[in-house]
Every structure is written in C-alpha cells, then in structure tokens.
Amino acid sequence: MERLKVPNSRDPLPPVVTNTRMHSLPGDTPQTPEPKTTLANVFKTIGDRFKTGPTATSPSVAPVTSHSPSGGSLLQRRPSQAGDGAARDILGGPVNNDPLYLQLKAGQPLPNRVAAAEAFRHIVEDYPLSSIMGIWAAAKDLIDSQLPTDARRAGFDLLTACIKHSEPTPLERRQFFETISSPCHADDFHLQLNALVELTNHGKDLIAFEISIVPTLTKWLNLWFLESMRARQARKRDKTSSDISGEETNLASLFSFVTGVVKFNFKTFREEDVIQLLGEVLQTCKRTTSSADIHDSILFIDAVITYGYIPRSSLQACLEIFCGVYSRIKTFEQETWNAVSNLCKSHMAQNTVAVLLDILQAPSGQHDVNTNTVRGAVYLITRLLLANGDEGLPTVPFSTVVVAIQKSMAVDSARLELDIAHSMCSIFSDEAVVDVIISEDWSIALDILVQCSRRTNETADGRPIDPRLSAANLPISKGSKEDLRRMSTDLSQTLFQIITQLENLCSKSDFAQKDAIIDFFIKVHGHLPDSCAELVINYYSEEHLCYPSNREWRTNSSHLVDVFLKNATRPTALRLQVVDEMKEVYQTIKDVCKPEVLNAFLLCILSDLSEEQNVQVLEALVEFAAGVAEDTDEQLFSTIIDLFLDCFTADQLTPSGSVSGSVSGQSAISYQPSTATVCQSPNSPGNVATRGLVHIFIRSINTSAEKAHRVYGELLRIAGSDACDADARLTAMKLLFRLRSDAGHAILIVPSTGTQSLAAALGRTPESMAKLQAAEESSQGRRSVIEDRNSNRPSRSASVGGNQTFASRSVNRTGNTTGRVPRPQCNLWMCPDPSALPDTPPAEASPFLFSYADSHLDASTEMTVDQKKVLKMSVWLELIVSVLQRGGDWEVYSYVLVHLGSQLTNHSLFRGAIPCIKLLRNVICEKIRASGFADPPSHSGLKKADIAICLFHVLTMLVSYHENFPKSEQDDIVRAFMLGIGSWDRTAKCCIHGLSICCHELPLSITKSLNNILQKMSQIITQSHVAVHVLEFLSGLARMPDVYVNFTEADYRTVFGVCFRYLQYVRDQRLPMTPSARTSIVSSRFSGAMRDSIPPEPISSPSAPDDLPQYVFALTYHVIIFWFMSLKLADRAKHISWITKNLVKIDAERDTIAEQSQVTIDMMQRVTYSDSDETSPNHHFASESDGPVLKKSWLLGQSIITIETATGTGLSQITKRQPSATTHSILKIETSPPPRHQIPLSLEPAPESNQNPKDEASRVAVLPSHVLLQLMVPSNMMPESLRPIPLPDDDITNRALSYFDLNSTVDGHKVGVIYIGEGQITEQEILGNVIGSSEYTAFAEGLGTLTKLKDAKFNTQGLDKENNSDGEFTFCWRDRVTEIVFHVTTMMPTNRTNDPQCSGKKRHTGNDFVNIIFNDSGLPFRFDTFPSQFNYVNIVITPESRASFIAIRTRSYDEANRQFYRVQVMSKPGFPEISPAADTKIVSGKSLPVFVRLLALNASVFSLVWYNRDGGEHISSWRNRLREIERLRQKHAVASAIPSPAFNSNYTIPGDRSSVATTTSATSAMRDAMQRDNLTTRRASATTFLSEQSHRSSVVTSGIEVDSGYNEDGVVDAFDFSKWT
C-alpha cells in the first residue's frame, strides 16, 4: 500500500485518500443534472415503484470497456436488454446508467466492473440517484480482500461516494456500517476508515449502529496498535528510514476518529463499552514505544473526561497512565495536567485525589511498583496542592500529601526522590501555599527532604561532602555515570534552593516552623550555605540550646560540633563561632555538671584536634583546651596533653641526641635552611599545639605544680627535637628562655628577655633587617659594577705576574658572590616579639615550682613537699649545649645565641646546674678558640663574625659564674676575649666590653694577659668604631691599680702608644690623602691575599671618627692624663720626653698645638715631681710684725703668678694659677741681723702706712717684684718673649682673677641615684622613697664618700650647702681630674604634704644627664618613667634574682656583696649607645659601685659633649682656665709692649732666637724648625712609640717608614721640661 509521510501526533487527522475523477467519453453530450430529491420524494418514489412496477426501457447505453492504449473509449454503448429491471430502477443521472449498471454487476469482467465503479462514483458525486443501495449492492463485492488493489480501491471509493450521496436511512446506515466494519484488506484500512468517517459525519452521527461501533473501534485499535508495533520493530530491526509507516498513520487516524466519536456520542455508549475502549487505550499507552500513541491516548482520555466520565473501575488505571506519562514525557506535561485537572473538576475529583494518594502510598505495601507512576503522582498531587483550590480544583491537605509522599519513598529510586525534592521546592517557594500550611506540621516534609539529601554527596557548587561528617549516603541508582552525576547535581541544587527558601522564612521573627527547620538544617548540614549555617549557630546560641536548661543540650552541642566545627569546608569564622559558643557553654557547666559529663563534653569538642588542618581553628581549639586544662582533673588533663602531642608525628618527638661531655676535637657545625627562607605563615600544627602547652604552663605555674611540671617536660622534648617544626621549637624556647627564679629559687616568667640590641646583630629587629637588606642590595649593585669593569678591563701583560694573580683572585671572588641566595623577607622570630607568649605571665613567682631544692624550699611555704616541684634546669641547659654543639636549624640556633646570655644572668635559676654551666663555658671557649662554628646561611645576609658576637655575649654572662671555675678556666675566658680582638670583624667591641667586666671580676686573669690585651688594642685603635671602647677600657683600667700592678715601663708606653696612634690616625684622617698615597699605605702594610681582603676606603674622610669625634678625642687625652698619674712618682720624669715629643709632634704636624696637648703638658709639669694634694691659700700668712702686705700679678707663660709679700720681712705667698691647678706656696726670706757697724737702711714707709718711718714694722724692705726677680734668670739672658707680663692692680684685673678662681681645677659631674622599691612604677611613689634595701645602701656607700653638704667648700652641683634643704649629706667622689656629686633621692628630704610630687628631688634628678636607677621593683624599668629633657642616660641596676620586700630588707652587706646584678645603660632615643653596658652586663655586688661609677662618669662626659653638639664643643675646666689665661694675655700684652700671639703663648727654642707660635694657623718659625729637623713623619704605630727606636735608619713599623734623620730639637725641646728640670 502507499506509504505516507508520518505526520506529527499533534496534527489533525489526515484526509482520507480519494481517487481521481473519470474522464468523459468523446462525443458525449453533458446533461444538466437534475435537482436532488428530498427525503419525502425518495420515500414517494419507492412507493410508486412497488405500485407500477418497472418503467419503460431507458435509452441504450454502450457497455463500459477499457480504453485501448490507442485512445479508445473506456465505456461502450450497448442496447439495453429486456428483463433488466434493476437498471430501470436507477432514476436520475446520465441516460446511459443502465448499461453501466449491468457492467457493474457481478459476473462481469473485473476491469469492466472497476471501470463501472469509477464511473458510478462520479455519477453518484454529481447526480442525484434514486437507488444508491442498488448500485452499492452490485458493487460491494469489489472490496473483498481477495480482489486486486485497484478493484478494492474502486469499491471503497464508490462506497464512500454512496455514503456521501444523500442522507441514508437507518437501515441503509446499518448496512453501510456492517459493510464497513467487515474485515478487509489491511492496505485498505484508510479507505475503510474514511468511509466510516463519512458515514458518521466525522463521528457525530452514530444512528443505527450506536451499540456496535464501540466494539468495532476497540477491535480496530487493538489491531492497528499491533500492526504499528510490528512496523516499528521491523524498522528498528532493518534500520530503515525513520518515516512514519502506514500502520502508524492508520493508528493515528483511528485515534483521531475515536476521540471525535467520544466527543459527540459518549452519552449513547454503554459503560461496559467505555470500559472496554478505555482499557484498550490504556493498554496501548502501557505497551507503546511511540510518544505519538501516548499523546493520542491522552487526548482520547481527556475527551472521555471532558465529554463523559471515567468509569470508577478505570479511574486508577487512567491516573496511573497519567502519572507515568507526566513523569516520563515532559513534552506532554501540560496535556496530561489538563486531563487530570479536568478529571479533578468533575464529580470524580475526590476519587481522583484518593487514587493519587493511593498510588503514592502503594509502595509501602507492594514490592512491584512502577516508579514512574509514583513519580508522576508526586508531581500531580503537588500541582493540586499548589493550586490551592483555584479554578475549581479540589483542596488537598498538606499533611495528607506529605504522608503519602513519605510512604512513596519506600521505592528505592533516586529519580523519585529527586522529583519529590522538586515538588517540595515548588511548595516552599509558593508564598500563598506557605501561608496556608504555616500552622501545619512540617516535620514529615522536612524528614522527606532529609532522606532525599542522602542521595547526593556533593553541594550545589559541586564540592564533595565529607562522608565522615554526614549520614551514610544511599546509592544514587542504576544508570550511566553521566545520568548519576546529573541527578546528583540536580538534587543538590534543588536542596540548595529549598534551604535558601527556608532560610528566608526563618528570617521572620514570628515564623512558627523555625524549630523544625533548624533541626532540618542540622540534618542536611552538608548542603547548607554558609549564611544558613550561621543562622543555625546563632539560633542555637540565642535559644541556649546547648545549655543544661535544654533537655537535649548535650545532643545539641554534639550537633554543632560535628556539623559545623569539624567540617573543614566551612569558613573559619563560622567554625570559630562554634568554638566560642562551646567556650561559653563550658564556663556555664563547669561548676554544675559531674566530671564525667564535663569530660564527655570536652572530648566531643577536642577529639579531632590532631586532625585539624585549619590553623586558626586549631589555635582556637588549643586555646580552649589550654584554658580547660587549668580546671580539669588529672585524667582529662593528661588526655588534653596527649591530644596536643598528637599534633606531632611520632618521629618528631624523638630526642635528637645527647650532649657531648667533651669539647675537644669538635668539628665546625653547619646550619640547616629553615622554612623562613620563604615568606610563609610560621604556624604549623605543631606550633599551635606548642603554644597551647605554653599557655597551660603559664596558667598552671601558680595553681598546679604537677601540671606545670608535666608540661615543662613536654616543652623540653619539643625544643630538643630536630625533627619538630622550627616554629614549634621556637615557641617552646620562647617560654623556656623567659623562665627565671627569684632569690628563693621560685620559678617566674618574665614577659621580655631584653635582647633587642643583640638581636639587631643578627638582623632580627625591623631596623637591622632593613639595613641588611639595603646593604645586600647595595652590595649586589657594587658587584655588578665590578663585573662590568672587569669585563671591560684590557688584558694585562704576561710579564706582570703579580697583577695577573690579583686579577684572577678578583674574578674568583666576584664569581663566588654572584650566586648569593637572596635574603628572605620574613623570619620565624623577630625582636621585639610582643606575641611571644600566648598569655600574660603572672607577675608573682610560683609557690609550687622551684629551680633548686634546698632546706629553704621545704620551709618556705605551708605546702607539703608533694605539692612542690623542682624543674630540672640542668636538662634545659644540656639541651642548649646540644644545640650549640650540633647546629641544626638556623632559626633555632640563632634564637639560642641571642637569648641564652639574658637567661644566664639569673644565677638563682641555674644554681642546680653548675656542671652544665661549666660544660657550656667549655663549649663556648672551644668554639671561639677553634672557630668551630660555620658561616650563617647565605640567605641571612650575615657573617661569621655575627655569630661570634653572640658567643662572646654569652661568654660575658658566664664570667659572673667565675667562682665555679678554676683559675685555668678563668684564664681561658680572658684569652677567648683577647682572641676576639682582631680575629673577626666587629667582634672587638663586645670583647673589649667583656674584658672590662673581667677587670672587675677576674682581675688576676686580666693581669696575666694584660700585656697581650694592650698589644691587641694597639692594633685596632685606628678603627673608628672601636676606638671609643678601647679608650674607655683604658680609662677604667687606669683606676684599677691592682690589675696593672705588674706593669713595666714598656707596658705604660703601650698604653700611651695606643692613645698617640689614635691621635695620629685622627690627624691623618683630617689631612687630604691622594688615592695613590692610600694605595701605597695599603700596599706597604699588607701583602698577598691579606691585601686583597682589605676593603676600599673612601677617598676622603673629612672628620675623624664619624661617631662622637669630640668625646673620643677628649677621652684620648684623659687616658693619657689618668695613666700618667698612675705612674710611680719616681718613674714619671722618664716618660716626659717621649710623651711630650708625641703630643707636640702630632699637633705640630697639624700646624697647631691643641689645647688638650697644652693642658696635658701643664698637668705633667705639675705632677711629675709631686704627688701632693691641692693647696689652699693662707689669708693670714703674715703677721702684723711682718709689715704691710703688697700683692702683684704677672702673666708668665701659661700661668698667672700672684705674689703677696709682707714688705717688712719679705714673707711671701706665691699663687700660681695654671690650667690644671692652682698652687699656693709660702716663701720666706731668711735675713740675718746686720753687723753693728752697718749703717741703717733707708726707711721707706709703705705707701698706705701712716706710721713713723723709723718703725721697723712699717718700713718697706721687700716688694713682690723682688721676689719674682729672685725666681727668674737675669734679664740679659731672658728672651723678650718669655718675660713676665705685669697685670695692673685694678678692679678689672682683680675681678678677672676672682672669676678665674671660680673655675674648678677638676671636671665636675652630677649623677642622680634613684631607688625603686618593690612594685613601684610611678615617678611619685619612686621619688617618695626615703630608704632603700641593704643592697642599695651598700651600693650607694661604694659610689663615693658620705659628705656633709653644709658649708661645703666644693661644687655641690646645685645641692644646697647652707640650709640643708636638699639633705644633710650626700655621696661624692673625686680624683685629681674628676669630681662627681651624687644626687641621692633617698637622702633628700621628703615632704608628701607640701610636695606630694617630690618636685624638690625632681629638680635635681630631672636636670642630671645621667641617673643611676637601682631597680628593686621586680618589674622592667621604662626609660620614660622620669620624663625629662635632660636625662640622656639611665644606668639601670637590677638584682639578678628578684627578692621579696622582707628578704631585701633583711640582707646583710656581706650578702649584698655576694649577689650579682644586671647592669644596663639605657639611652634616650637618638643618643648613641657607646657604653660597655649598652647590652646588659652582670656584675657582682662587690664590683658594682666601681663599675657603675665608671659608667656614669663616661656617660656624663659624653652627655656634656652631646648637649653642646649644636652650639659648639664642650670645654673642660682645664681648657677653660687656659683660655682665661690667654684672654688676659691678649688684653695686656700690647700694654706691656711685648709681642703677643693671637691666642696661644709663645715659646722660644733654646739656642734659637726665632719663636714658634702655637696659634690656630702654623707660624713660619714652627715650619722652619720642622723642616730643619727633616720631620717627615706620617702615622706611627703603637709599636714605634713603645720601641723608642725612631733614630734607627729606615725603621718600618706596620708599613710606616720613619726617617732616620729626625731629631727632637726645636719645638719638642721647647716643651720637654724634663731636660732642664
């Protein structure tokens, strides 16, 4: 049969295929058709026929024949035959109907019959005929299935035409129906159906066969559905075209017709027929694989619903079909819903809802359930629920629906649960529905969603959900991976939408379902967005669900912890919020719950501590656990500690090795690169756990000895394990290095170690780190410039071998430096470190923990011995020694280097670890001796010297333990310091400071090595950064005669040589030097590789040492003065020539003689032959009998000579005012009685006398000028330049001399002494102290001599000496050069009523440049405690171990001397730190006063220089006196007609009449003298000064050549008074 194109299932029924019209015969004349008769006429005609019989014969018609191929006619005329009555019954139409009718009848050839049928079809269509049934009766056998296709087609076409001809009678309709419904050929079904369509007027008219048509249609539906199935299977099997087959077209047409029949005739059907027809359609839906069949079936059922009804027995089957279609075919959702909604609007509405609910609930009681049906029911019932009774739909109770849906979930189907989730999402997103169901129970619906959530293990954004933190997930379902992934994603996204909707609902304050929703959120926590999680946490907090007031508080707490805290995917802030909530809960329950409940609660929170990877969360948990550990029992405490230790791996806590007891033969250690080489967050899990342990220790130190002792042991394990993370080890060390003990050995923790200055040496302060980075960048720039120069430098000649070697070395050095690792941008530790400890340590010492066990320990408190614990500090010290021996991680090693020295100052802490102290000393000394430490890592930017500085600092602290070392080990310490002077760059400073301490603590060892020490210092004095420290060392040493008791003449010359070399260096630096000259110096001084290592010096250095030039320059002369005075009186004259030569020579080369040199020579003139103290004037030296006293003054050289003479007897008092002193002498002229024969002398009364000239007492026998002449050489032998200059005897001169006498002959200094009592921090309470501890008193007494202030004859530096308003006594100290007055606040009056602020004391100490602070407060001293503009330096003294108030007050002086004290010089910001105690030093009480006084003196001198740095230089007392003398000279030299220089005195070289002026500009005479002496000196070394072999020819000392032609005549001889004294 003909195949048609498959129409769309939505298209209307295709038209029935019809045949083409027959062509007319040639020559036929068309006849006009007659009007068709009405039904009445038809019945009338039939009646007439029965009456009259047949009519006359019609005109003959030729028989119908087939037209020949040549074009013959298809029908031929033939005469009618008699007896053919049937033909005569056909009335109407063409005239030739009869022959045609006869040709149509059976028995005729089939082609003729087919042609006749075609002809009749046209006739029937065009003409009204009277006997249609007759025509069809003749032709109905043509549709027999056995006939050919054209015959069958012609028959059906004629049948259709006959049906359409006129309105058939019921009988005729019945006949037609029976004909049509009879079996026919399958290829003719479309014709058969077309005929039936025409018969029923497209299904509208079923008269005469109403009962029969439904079974027929039912049978046809079954038949053609099967045919369609076969066609589809064949097409699938043969893989042919996908076009719709004829069978499918027939089925579609049949569905369309059946639907139409139902629309117009449902009321005529019997119910059983409807049930049968529905059943067939439903079966078709169940069995078909074509969506078109389903679509047509849905339309049919919808028509049944719309125009009839669904029988009750078929209702469930129909709804199951609807449900299945709705769930499977999304394109038919609307058609399906239309059908269901129509059904629900009918009288079957409640039945429909009931059936849908039954479908949903069926899975709970059945095993074989169609999942798609249930899925569709979910959607449909949901749509009914969402309709909410609108548009005539029934109202469905929410509770009923969710119960049914819950039962439907008995089906193990992920797709079903996904659909359920979609339905729930639709429900909760509809505000109208939510308003309706708001008061109902939502728990079942939310439980449904919880079960649905188990089907997916990912969040809406695709992140996997940790299965450990959620309920066991169900498998998705069977299917492809893509389907499973899609369903999982869809379900998670749907859940997210639902959660978001519910979250928005919960934001309403009066929302009734909030409890149920929060519980739901907890159950589906893996799908919650962060905002929703925060909502849950806040709800738990606001409603106090985790508190005992709630019955389920433990469960709720567990929910929060398990759901949010242990979920690593949650934001840190949320997790921390849970931790905070648990902290508050614990604070509430810790006092009300039983221990087992508390333990369970805490373990729930902390059980996964070791697995936590989020550092912030881990920190919060550790902090919480540490706080809990303080209150828990021993069992839980141990559990918490174990949890902390679980953060480390097993191998991390394995000890790294034991300490080697031997230090001999140690190899150089190496440092491992630390994690700090890159900038990372230094916070490993182990570090967090360690901070927790530190936190526990801090909290337990005053509460539980057992807990603190356990933690101490664990911290030692961590700190000593090389396998632990460096930051964890450092955290442990940050606590361990802050451990201290008080005088009773009770452990305490200090908040700061005070190691910032030493940390700066390793670049561990922000400022020093910035400098290192800048230096590294600058160095890299210089290296690149050098490389460019080397690359552009022309090749050298092969003959210059030396230059080739140097060039080669230069290239090698450059090549080595190019590979330096860049310095990291961050380190694991810095200083200061305010966050070093996780908690503020208690200020008081622990009553439980001790560093040493003695009898005092048992009696110190009322606790039992079991309650006390002794921390084994020896273990800690062994660990430190191990680190120093092995090296290891650089961060750890550097931290130990910086902080060890500070802890060693606490002797009480290590009292029980003396063997380890000895071992530590051995290790340090050996490493220094053998240089047994490696260079720092290249990334650090440091050098080996930086490590050496730290080692020397530690060694300095170890000096205080000298009582535990034998003499040989004490000598080793001194030798180690001596080795550090010059061995490494920049170590000289700290070594000199260490030797300064050794001078006080190890004087015998210093004495033994002093000569070598001085030799070392002489070699480095020209290093500007070291000179000040060398000179301060020598200055202090000069005041310790017991130390240099074995000094020889050569040793003294070494000291002077050090000073002279520095002065020569300053001179050289101030003179311009050409590059060639500098190269010559370097080349002559060094050779070979040593020369290569010398860094290039700047081309010019306009100012001598850049740091503190005035102070260092002045200090150099002070050292000369101090050491000259330290010479024995008999030996001083031996050094005059040599000292004078160097002083004058150095200054002469500068074309001037410095004031310092002049006053120094003046001092030597005064003390070379005398050690007498200062003299005082005797205002009553002459009695009245001696006659009147006349006074006259002269300027003589650098002195003012005043002679007071009793004119009668000549008794005179001579006052010599020099720059360095004022000397008063009595000169008496011994006269003998004149012979009796001598005539009387002329009697000349004194000018002011009115006595009788003959009175012996009143006569003038001697004048002051006579006394002067007796002391002078004859005038004819005295050069004019050396003659005395008489000063006029007037008021101006007398005032000038009075003012001169006000200038002290010593440098005066004032230093404040302040005592800080226990716990005092404010200025008011500190200055209010009127008494101090015994230690303080012993110290103050050692500073100086107790001196009465009233009527004092010395400069009291502002202290009242008339009314005792500043106290009755004070302490003063004085030598022949310096005087110090101490402003001791405890000795000053305190009147809290009239002066509560103690401003009287502050008036003095606030104006002192230097204050000594004796800090017994137990607290760190702050420099700003005493705000003042003039306080530059505070020398802070702190006992090495803190003692209680009672212990301090009850100590004896002897005990105070045995104590040790930390001494630190704290300077005002911006003030240079030059003191030996700029880094904390520890000194014994016996040496403390002397050491501190020396520090204060040097600090005061420098403060004076610093104070005058902007307005000019500080002028010492001696220099000021010198200047006063020169001012008088300038004023009176012209009046005396004697040539006078501009400023300084003139001196004449013996044997030469020329004069040398010591003016600021060189005179020609001095230059001539120097040229005459062939003085070609450059810079002389200390060794040259010591050897006194300057007359040797070509003497080479340190590369400096001294000409052999030099002699000491001329200028030097003019100052060398020893040659003529």
Side-chain angles (χ1 to χ4, degrees), residues 1574-1592:
N1574 193 21
L1575 183 60
T1576 58
T1577 305
R1578 292 194 183 99
R1579 180 168 58 177
S1581 69
T1583 306
T1584 304
F1585 294 126
L1586 301 177
S1587 65
E1588 291 193 283
Q1589 294 178 355
S1590 58
H1591 295 286
R1592 294 180 304 166

Side-chain angles (χ1 to χ4, degrees), residues 1067-1105:
R1067 182 261 172 193
D1068 290 343
Q1069 291 295 311
R1070 288 178 176 174
L1071 290 179
M1073 182 178 290
T1074 63
S1076 61
R1078 180 176 295 103
T1079 303
S1080 175
I1081 292 175
V1082 173
S1083 300
S1084 62
R1085 187 180 306 167
F1086 303 101
S1087 63
M1090 192 59 160
R1091 181 173 64 246
D1092 298 335
S1093 64
I1094 298 299
E1097 296 183 4
I1099 297 300
S1100 63
S1101 182
S1103 58

Side-chain angles (χ1 to χ4, degrees), residues 1044-1252:
Y1044 61 85
V1045 65
N1046 296 328
F1047 254 32
T1048 63
E1049 182 177 346
D1051 294 328
Y1052 282 104
R1053 289 178 178 257
T1054 301
V1055 175
F1056 293 129
V1058 171
C1059 299
F1060 294 146
R1061 188 178 182 192
Y1062 176 75
L1063 294 175
Q1064 183 70 46
Y1065 165 76
V1066 172
R1067 182 261 172 193
D1068 290 343
Q1069 291 295 311
R1070 288 178 176 174
L1071 290 179
M1073 182 178 290
T1074 63
S1076 61
R1078 180 176 295 103
T1079 303
S1080 175
I1081 292 175
V1082 173
S1083 300
S1084 62
R1085 187 180 306 167
F1086 303 101
S1087 63
M1090 192 59 160
R1091 181 173 64 246
D1092 298 335
S1093 64
I1094 298 299
E1097 296 183 4
I1099 297 300
S1100 63
S1101 182
S1103 58
D1106 293 335
D1107 298 333
L1108 330 168
Q1110 295 182 38
Y1111 172 66
V1112 182
F1113 200 62
L1115 185 60
T1116 307
Y1117 284 96
H1118 287 174
V1119 172
I1120 296 174
I1121 294 171
F1122 298 150
W1123 278 98
F1124 185 81
M1125 291 183 177
S1126 68
L1127 286 165
K1128 295 179 180 179
L1129 186 62
D1131 296 333
R1132 292 175 187 173
K1134 301 176 184 178
H1135 298 269
I1136 293 297
S1137 297
W1138 187 72
I1139 295 175
T1140 304
K1141 177 189 65 175
N1142 286 285
L1143 286 175
V1144 175
K1145 179 177 62 176
I1146 291 170
D1147 294 327
E1149 291 181 358
R1150 295 173 53 228
D1151 296 337
T1152 183
I1153 297 179
E1155 293 177 346
Q1156 291 95 331
S1157 295
Q1158 295 182 50
V1159 298
T1160 302
I1161 294 174
D1162 181 79
M1163 178 275 304
M1164 291 192 299
Q1165 291 178 351
R1166 180 171 59 89
V1167 302
T1168 299
Y1169 303 104
S1170 172
D1171 255 340
S1172 62
D1173 291 330
E1174 289 189 357
T1175 60
S1176 60
N1178 186 355
H1179 300 292
H1180 307 287
F1181 70 93
S1183 64
E1184 293 182 359
S1185 61
D1186 292 325
V1189 177
L1190 297 180
K1191 181 170 66 174
K1192 189 171 181 61
S1193 299
W1194 294 266
L1195 285 174
L1196 182 59
Q1198 290 181 327
S1199 63
I1200 302 173
I1201 303 297
T1202 299
I1203 300 177
E1204 300 173 86
T1205 302
T1207 58
T1209 62
L1211 182 63
S1212 301
Q1213 179 172 250
I1214 303 174
T1215 301
K1216 183 181 181 182
R1217 295 177 175 89
Q1218 299 173 243
S1220 62
T1222 298
T1223 305
H1224 302 276
S1225 303
I1226 301 295
L1227 177 64
K1228 182 178 180 181
I1229 300 176
E1230 292 292 342
T1231 60
S1232 60
R1236 296 181 63 85
H1237 59 271
Q1238 179 175 317
I1239 65 172
L1241 298 177
S1242 61
L1243 298 176
E1244 179 184 350
E1248 63 278 1
S1249 176
N1250 294 324
Q1251 298 180 7
N1252 185 350

Side-chain angles (χ1 to χ4, degrees), residues 1231-1517:
T1231 60
S1232 60
R1236 296 181 63 85
H1237 59 271
Q1238 179 175 317
I1239 65 172
L1241 298 177
S1242 61
L1243 298 176
E1244 179 184 350
E1248 63 278 1
S1249 176
N1250 294 324
Q1251 298 180 7
N1252 185 350
K1254 295 182 178 182
D1255 188 354
E1256 183 69 20
S1258 64
R1259 73 183 182 90
V1260 177
V1262 182
L1263 295 176
S1265 297
H1266 169 77
V1267 178
L1268 178 64
L1269 287 174
Q1270 302 308 308
L1271 301 176
M1272 303 292 292
V1273 298
S1275 60
N1276 60 340
M1277 300 180 62
M1278 181 181 295
E1280 191 175 316
S1281 60
L1282 295 181
R1283 292 175 182 174
I1285 301 174
L1287 298 178
D1289 188 10
D1290 54 18
D1291 291 339
I1292 296 177
T1293 302
N1294 292 331
R1295 272 199 306 270
L1297 294 178
S1298 298
Y1299 291 151
F1300 182 90
D1301 290 337
L1302 293 178
N1303 287 302
S1304 176
T1305 57
V1306 292
D1307 287 332
H1309 300 275
K1310 53 182 181 178
V1311 176
V1313 180
I1314 303 173
Y1315 176 77
I1316 304 179
E1318 185 177 13
Q1320 294 179 341
I1321 56 176
T1322 65
E1323 182 183 36
Q1324 180 179 354
E1325 59 185 356
I1326 293 172
L1327 294 180
N1329 289 325
V1330 296
I1331 191 173
S1333 63
S1334 59
E1335 298 174 353
Y1336 162 76
T1337 303
F1339 164 73
E1341 291 176 352
L1343 287 176
T1345 303
L1346 187 66
T1347 306
K1348 190 174 183 179
L1349 290 175
K1350 190 174 181 62
D1351 300 327
K1353 302 303 181 183
F1354 60 92
N1355 183 359
T1356 59
Q1357 300 294 335
L1359 296 178
D1360 177 51
K1361 52 184 177 181
E1362 295 180 359
N1363 302 314
N1364 291 334
S1365 61
D1366 295 321
E1368 186 177 356
F1369 297 92
T1370 191
F1371 288 103
C1372 303
W1373 179 87
R1374 178 182 176 127
D1375 61 12
R1376 300 177 71 178
V1377 180
T1378 309
E1379 181 180 64
I1380 304 176
V1381 176
F1382 294 97
H1383 293 165
V1384 185
T1385 58
T1386 55
M1387 301 180 72
M1388 297 180 184
T1390 301
N1391 190 331
R1392 295 186 180 274
T1393 303
N1394 298 330
D1395 186 13
Q1397 301 298 326
C1398 298
S1399 56
K1401 298 182 179 182
K1402 181 66 179 291
R1403 179 168 54 89
H1404 296 288
T1405 60
N1407 289 299
D1408 293 338
F1409 291 137
V1410 180
N1411 282 323
I1412 299 173
I1413 312 296
F1414 200 96
N1415 183 19
D1416 261 338
S1417 67
L1419 304 172
F1421 176 76
R1422 295 173 55 89
F1423 189 88
D1424 57 359
T1425 302
F1426 307 107
S1428 171
Q1429 181 181 355
F1430 302 104
N1431 288 157
Y1432 291 151
V1433 175
N1434 284 328
I1435 303 174
V1436 183
I1437 303 170
T1438 307
E1440 59 87 10
S1441 58
R1442 191 169 71 185
S1444 65
F1445 177 83
I1446 298 176
I1448 292 174
R1449 291 296 189 272
T1450 56
R1451 274 182 185 162
S1452 65
Y1453 286 178
D1454 292 338
E1455 289 177 331
N1457 287 335
R1458 290 195 298 269
Q1459 298 297 317
F1460 280 84
Y1461 301 85
R1462 292 191 299 274
V1463 180
Q1464 182 183 14
V1465 174
M1466 302 178 67
S1467 303
K1468 193 172 186 177
F1471 191 88
E1473 295 182 352
I1474 61 172
S1475 174
D1479 294 328
T1480 302
K1481 299 297 185 290
I1482 184 164
V1483 183
S1484 64
K1486 180 181 180 180
S1487 304
L1488 183 65
V1490 176
F1491 179 70
V1492 172
R1493 183 177 61 232
L1494 181 59
L1495 294 178
L1497 177 59
N1498 291 335
S1500 182
V1501 172
F1502 178 68
S1503 296
L1504 289 170
V1505 174
W1506 182 261
Y1507 179 74
N1508 294 280
R1509 68 189 184 281
D1510 296 329
E1513 62 177 338
H1514 168 65
I1515 306 300
S1516 68
S1517 176

Side-chain angles (χ1 to χ4, degrees), residues 227-244:
E227 291 295 330
S228 298
M229 289 292 292
R230 295 190 191 97
R232 292 164 184 160
Q233 292 173 357
R235 183 170 63 234
K236 182 178 180 180
R237 181 180 61 252
D238 299 339
K239 299 181 181 180
T240 56
S241 174
S242 59
D243 293 341
I244 296 178

Side-chain angles (χ1 to χ4, degrees), residues 939-978:
H939 68 76
S940 66
L942 303 174
K943 298 180 180 179
K944 196 171 184 178
D946 298 306
I947 297 179
I949 290 173
C950 298
L951 291 175
F952 282 121
H953 177 75
V954 175
L955 188 59
T956 302
M957 300 301 107
L958 288 173
V959 171
S960 59
Y961 293 87
H962 61 84
E963 292 182 354
N964 302 291
F965 306 145
K967 178 62 169 56
S968 60
E969 293 182 354
Q970 296 178 11
D971 296 343
D972 287 343
I973 294 176
V974 173
R975 282 193 291 268
F977 283 127
M978 187 172 60

Side-chain angles (χ1 to χ4, degrees), residues 641-642 645 648 653 690 693 708-720 732 736:
I641 299 301
D642 292 340
L645 297 179
F648 299 91
L653 294 180
T690 305
L693 292 173
H709 188 268
R710 164 74 189 279
V711 174
Y712 173 75
E714 301 300 344
L715 290 175
L716 287 178
R717 290 178 60 196
I718 295 171
L736 295 172

